[in-house]
Amino acid sequence: MQRVLLAAFLLAPLPLAAQGDVVARVDAWYQSTQRRAPGTWGVVVADQTGRVLWSVNATEPMTPASTVKLLTTGFARTVVGANARRATRVVGSGGVDPTTGTWVGRWSLELNGDPTLERPDRAGPTLASLAEQLAAIGVRRLTGPLSLSTQVGDPVATYPTAWDGRHRGRSFAPLVGPVTLNENLVAFTVAPGSNVKQKPYVAGDAPRGAGRLVSITARTVVGTRSRLTVRSDGKGGWVVGGTIGTRAAPRRYVFTAPNPARVVEAAWTDALARSGIEWAKGPSIGAVGAPTPRVLAEVVSMPFDSIAHEVNTRSLNIGAELMLLWGGGADRAAERLTQHVRTVTGLSGDLVHLEDGSGLSDRDRVAPLAFTTYLARFPETAAGRDFPLLLPANGSGTLRRLGRGMEAGSVRAKTGTLARVSSLVGYLGHSSGMLLVAAMYNGPRAGDARVAQWELFRALGANGVAIPPTPADDADALGGPVLQ
């Protein structure tokens, strides 16, 4: 392990006195931290130009965990733009029978991996809006099985190959792909009947309509106790058995969707029914061989920047992987992400190697110097304006524990956590100028390392100031292009 302290500060924005204060604070912090959290540390503290003020193991490739998301954000934003939106559509060829209101021809539901689609407890477009648009053009009846299409590969959801098997299927690691609804999570609440003669029932679901996938064999019994069991039905749904008392509280369950296409079908069925549209799932009526289907209904996501800010604030893995899909396409997207980081930083290839967009892969490697160099240089690119504001501020999301004792908005950073990993990378508004910090730890004391990382940011940000947006020559439109 080699500690490097660079003395060539003449061109750095921070005054020499401020630089000396930074060095002294990091020195004191590191001496204490090594004892409390033994393991491999990689730390770089740089000024806003990327000039290193203090470092240890700056060029050591380390497992970064979710700090990868900030790199994915920059890559995807470079490709699609800050205001781009993802579309979900009903496309078809044919027409409406004016007598019966039946759609005569082909139709399909086009899903393109919108991470905000159909989230009852958060902002985002809904399938109900699509169904209402169909009703508005006179559709009263659809026929044929559900046909899913997409413009970003195959209309499926899979686990990224780089994800370790121990993560797959957990709430933070659902299936990922164009077929995404409610972040590919299913929630439902089971309530007791009012008396023992009435069966328990689904009292709420998310996405709306997912309760259609729940079969209830459970019984309502007298009392306040709940002894419900939930098992998979092997087809993408669930069976609820056992008993629940008449005076028992409703029980809520949350699962990752084992078959997102079935969830889409259930939610679409519900949305159509609420819009007064009958769906007969038998053979299609009068298939029309029109060469190019047209858009019959469309909803769009929030703008890219809104999605990116939420993904980073919540550290949402499926959202990061969908941003990677958005920017990198269905094939070799991680390679394109890696090359983007190498191009922006100008660093040699062995300092950056990424295999996913979320940081959930144990095989991702990034050196601390690559992070601080990226933080310095990406905002100077055409796509990088106001990039720090896409990261959560101290006191919010995964940075909520940095809310006390620091100026609000003085930190814009991303955390990363795995079993043996704790990383904290981002911007720190110092009274004498911006600091760029990458504090990475790989070892057995990740919890202690995270506490130490908070302390480092607090020590350096004792006189912190809020990070303002970059003045813009002209304001962006609220909307943006809908990517094909």
Side-chain angles (χ1 to χ4, degrees):
M1 179 182 295
Q2 181 184 13
R3 175 181 172 279
V4 181
L5 178 59
L6 302 184
F9 295 139
L10 295 179
L11 299 179
L14 263 66
L16 289 177
Q19 295 170 17
D21 180 65
V22 166
V23 170
R25 289 175 183 269
V26 183
D27 272 336
W29 169 82
Y30 189 63
Q31 290 176 13
S32 171
T33 296
Q34 280 185 298
R35 296 190 296 269
R36 289 187 299 159
T40 300
W41 279 93
V43 181
V44 173
V45 179
D47 66 23
Q48 61 192 21
T49 70
R51 183 183 294 273
V52 176
L53 307 179
W54 193 101
S55 72
V56 62
N57 291 334
T59 58
E60 176 72 21
M62 300 180 67
T63 306
S66 282
T67 49
V68 168
K69 291 181 176 68
L70 71 84
L71 304 174
T72 302
T73 297
F75 166 61
R77 196 190 204 211
T78 299
V79 176
V80 307
N83 296 310
R85 298 172 185 260
R86 239 353 177 191
T88 302
R89 305 177 172 113
V90 179
V91 297
S93 56
V96 180
D97 184 320
T99 303
T100 64
T102 300
W103 178 260
V104 180
R106 298 189 181 96
W107 65 274
S108 68
L109 192 58
E110 181 188 289
L111 300 173
N112 292 307
D114 175 4
T116 70
L117 179 63
E118 198 66 43
R119 304 186 303 175
D121 59 340
R122 297 182 184 274
T126 65
L127 296 181
S129 294
L130 289 178
E132 291 164 3
Q133 291 176 47
L134 291 182
I137 63 174
V139 177
R140 296 293 177 267
R141 187 170 186 267
L142 288 176
T143 63
L146 178 64
S147 174
L148 296 177
S149 60
T150 183
Q151 297 188 3
V152 287
D154 297 324
V156 296
T158 60
Y159 292 115
T161 56
W163 284 6
D164 191 281
R166 71 182 187 278
H167 299 311
R168 297 178 179 183
R170 301 177 70 179
S171 60
F172 58 84
L175 291 161
V176 177
V179 180
T180 293
L181 212 63
N182 190 39
E183 300 171 6
N184 280 342
L185 298 177
V186 172
F188 57 87
T189 300
V190 178
S194 59
N195 57 62
V196 296
K197 294 182 180 180
Q198 293 184 340
K199 288 182 61 176
Y201 62 98
V202 175
D205 54 8
R208 186 162 178 176
R212 295 170 180 265
L213 300 176
V214 181
S215 300
I216 296 182
T217 62
R219 297 180 296 113
T220 303
V221 297
V222 175
T224 60
R225 301 187 67 177
S226 173
R227 294 178 175 173
L228 295 176
T229 62
V230 182
R231 62 177 176 84
S232 169
D233 67 0
K235 298 179 291 185
W238 296 269
V239 178
V240 179
T243 61
I244 184 171
T246 52
R247 291 178 287 122
R251 298 294 299 273
R252 186 173 186 268
Y253 301 92
V254 180
F255 297 96
T256 57
N259 186 343
R262 282 209 67 197
V263 179
V264 171
E265 183 172 15
W268 184 231
T269 300
D270 185 80
L272 291 172
R274 285 186 282 131
S275 297
I277 299 175
E278 176 192 358
W279 182 14
K281 299 180 183 179
S284 300
I285 294 178
V288 177
T292 305
R294 68 182 190 274
V295 176
L296 308 179
E298 180 180 78
V299 293
V300 296
S301 69
M302 297 182 293
F304 175 86
D305 274 7
S306 295
I307 293 173
H309 184 269
E310 181 183 344
V311 166
N312 287 310
T313 299
R314 295 174 56 204
S315 203
L316 185 64
N317 291 318
I318 186 173
E321 296 297 343
L322 290 174
M323 288 199 305
L324 180 62
L325 176 68
W326 199 348
D331 299 315
R332 302 175 65 183
E335 292 182 26
R336 296 185 179 93
L337 168 61
T338 300
Q339 186 56 51
H340 162 81
V341 178
R342 292 172 179 170
T343 299
V344 170
T345 62
L347 298 175
S348 61
D350 59 348
L351 300 190
V352 180
H353 175 79
L354 300 172
E355 297 207 1
D356 70 350
S358 60
L360 201 55
S361 172
D362 293 331
R363 299 194 297 272
D364 291 329
R365 294 291 184 272
V366 182
L369 182 63
F371 272 120
T372 55
T373 305
Y374 189 88
L375 293 177
R377 295 185 180 178
F378 183 68
E380 297 178 349
T381 69
R385 193 182 67 189
D386 291 340
F387 177 68
L389 302 186
L390 300 185
L391 306 178
N394 53 312
S396 66
T398 57
L399 297 187
R400 59 189 177 275
R401 294 187 180 180
L402 275 178
R404 298 186 302 273
M406 298 187 70
E407 177 73 21
S410 62
V411 175
R412 293 281 180 169
K414 184 72 196 73
T415 58
T417 306
L418 288 173
R420 293 175 56 87
V421 178
S422 180
S423 298
L424 184 57
V425 175
Y427 300 90
L428 176 59
H430 191 274
S431 57
S432 300
M434 183 93 74
L435 292 176
L436 313 177
V437 183
M440 304 178 68
Y441 172 83
N442 291 177
R445 304 288 290 274
D448 293 333
R450 174 50 44 81
V451 173
Q453 288 159 353
W454 297 142
E455 292 175 354
L456 174 61
F457 270 69
R458 287 195 179 99
L460 294 176
N463 300 311
V465 296
I467 298 173
T470 303
D473 294 331
D474 39 59
D476 288 328
L478 291 178
V482 178
L483 292 203
Q484 302 300 314

